[in-house]
Amino acid sequence: MTSDAHGTEIRTLAELQGITGQPIAPALAKERDHLVDVHRAWLAASRFLLLATSGRDGTCDVSPKGDPAGFVHVVDDRTVAIPERPGNGRVDGWRNVLENPHVGVILLVPGRNDTLRINGRARLVRDAPYFDELAVKGRRPLLACEVAIDQIYFHCPKAFLRSELWATTSWPAPDALPSTAQLAKRLARPDEPLERIEEYYGAGYAARLY
């Protein structure tokens, strides 16, 4: 270990495991390299995920993806597909996938403290036979990210229990932080009137999701 003004840095696996300990046997036993029935059931219920990617130069991105429950399509026992909808065009994660196929996915189910994790290798497809099944409100996805599964396992609920994420009594008041429009005014659209930005993010915003 090395120390500086910011703290004591951990530099080796031995140092790390001296603090965290070795993984317990069940944590290793739960891992699979293909889907089983409980994984499929979770995918059918999940409506939100986080997709982690990294570019060739190590630049990282974690992107949220959400749709109606079951939006992640099961291609086969070793492959799932994540649809892409209209967005702002940054596509940071997809640019990373073009350079480095290794991705990590965490799938959430509202109210559940467990999560399903998938690590694998991704590719982008502009069309596939299953695209019609991914249509929402009659709109097919722009593309899909197919993930070939290397590891899949359920993650324990400790993080959600510690954070009380689903406990509404622990949530901040809706106006405790700046609104979406106020954030955009501050950081992305400083020259636009706030009223115009609020109109953009108003009732019509949801109608433009697909």
Side-chain angles (χ1 to χ4, degrees):
M1 298 186 185
T2 59
S3 298
D4 57 26
H6 300 287
T8 304
E9 182 181 358
I10 298 166
R11 301 290 295 272
T12 68
L13 178 59
E15 292 173 349
L16 174 63
Q17 292 185 325
I19 297 170
T20 64
Q22 298 289 333
I24 62 175
L28 299 176
K30 65 185 177 181
E31 183 181 317
R32 300 289 186 275
D33 63 0
H34 61 281
L35 297 169
V36 299
D37 56 348
V38 288
H39 299 145
R40 289 173 175 266
W42 194 274
L43 290 171
S46 178
R47 62 186 67 189
F48 181 83
L49 63 80
L50 297 168
L51 175 70
T53 62
S54 177
R56 185 182 299 113
D57 63 355
T59 301
C60 295
D61 179 74
V62 179
S63 295
K65 304 292 179 185
D67 257 335
F71 74 103
V72 176
H73 179 77
V74 175
V75 179
D76 55 46
D77 283 348
R78 294 177 179 271
T79 314
V80 297
I82 302 166
E84 170 73 344
R85 308 299 179 183
N88 60 18
R90 282 190 58 122
V91 295
D92 296 294
W94 302 148
R95 290 166 19 144
N96 283 345
V97 166
L98 293 176
E99 296 182 353
N100 174 7
H102 296 282
V103 301
V105 185
I106 294 183
L107 295 119
L108 284 74
V109 171
R112 285 297 301 262
N113 293 324
D114 318 82
T115 55
L116 182 63
R117 297 180 61 165
I118 298 176
N119 296 319
R121 290 152 292 114
R123 69 174 192 145
L124 304 181
V125 295
R126 63 186 305 165
D127 198 6
Y130 55 79
F131 267 39
D132 287 341
E133 299 178 51
L134 301 181
V136 177
K137 297 184 177 181
R139 301 292 300 274
R140 300 167 92 239
L142 300 178
L143 56 88
C145 175
E146 289 188 353
V147 180
I149 298 169
D150 291 327
Q151 299 171 301
I152 182 168
Y153 57 92
F154 285 100
H155 195 94
C156 75
K158 290 187 179 72
F160 286 78
L161 293 172
R162 289 167 178 150
S163 64
E164 298 184 329
L165 185 65
W166 305 121
T168 57
T169 55
S170 72
W171 292 358
D175 59 354
L177 294 168
S179 67
T180 302
Q182 290 168 334
L183 291 172
K185 171 69 174 176
R186 173 76 180 275
L187 300 173
R189 304 180 178 188
D191 298 328
E192 290 187 42
L194 179 60
E195 294 77 12
R196 183 184 303 171
I197 303 174
E198 290 175 332
E199 181 180 355
Y200 174 82
Y201 285 111
Y205 190 72
R208 299 190 297 271
L209 294 179
Y210 296 96

